[in-house]
Amino acid sequence: ENGILYVNGEMYEEDYISDAYRSGYLNNFSDYTVPEGYYFVMGDHRNNSNDSRSVGPITRDMIVGHVERVILPISKFWDKVE
């Protein structure tokens, strides 16, 4: 709602999303119940993401990803480099 994510009626804190990415027609998605066995996914770049708001819910086998490195918070990353 207005670029803010609510889960089960509660506002979900997302400090990592810029206010600039909270605008656009996809950010006014209405209430939605995710069907059993499906996932509702959204990208961080909310006003330019091809996610469940435009393609619908997805199954687990459609989720592909592998984390190789986590560099956030960046301050901790730079401490290790120096």
Side-chain angles (χ1 to χ4, degrees), residues 1-2 9 24 26-27 33-34 36 47 54 60 66 68 78-79:
E1 180 180 312
N2 297 318
L26 287 174
N27 288 308
T33 300
V34 180
E36 187 74 31
N47 56 354
S54 57
R60 175 64 182 99
H66 177 76
E68 292 185 19
W78 286 120
D79 290 343

Side-chain angles (χ1 to χ4, degrees), residues 9 11 14 21 41 44 46 63 68 77:
M11 187 176 107
E14 297 178 293
Y21 297 148
V41 296
D44 291 349
R46 295 290 167 77
I63 300 173
E68 292 185 19
F77 175 75

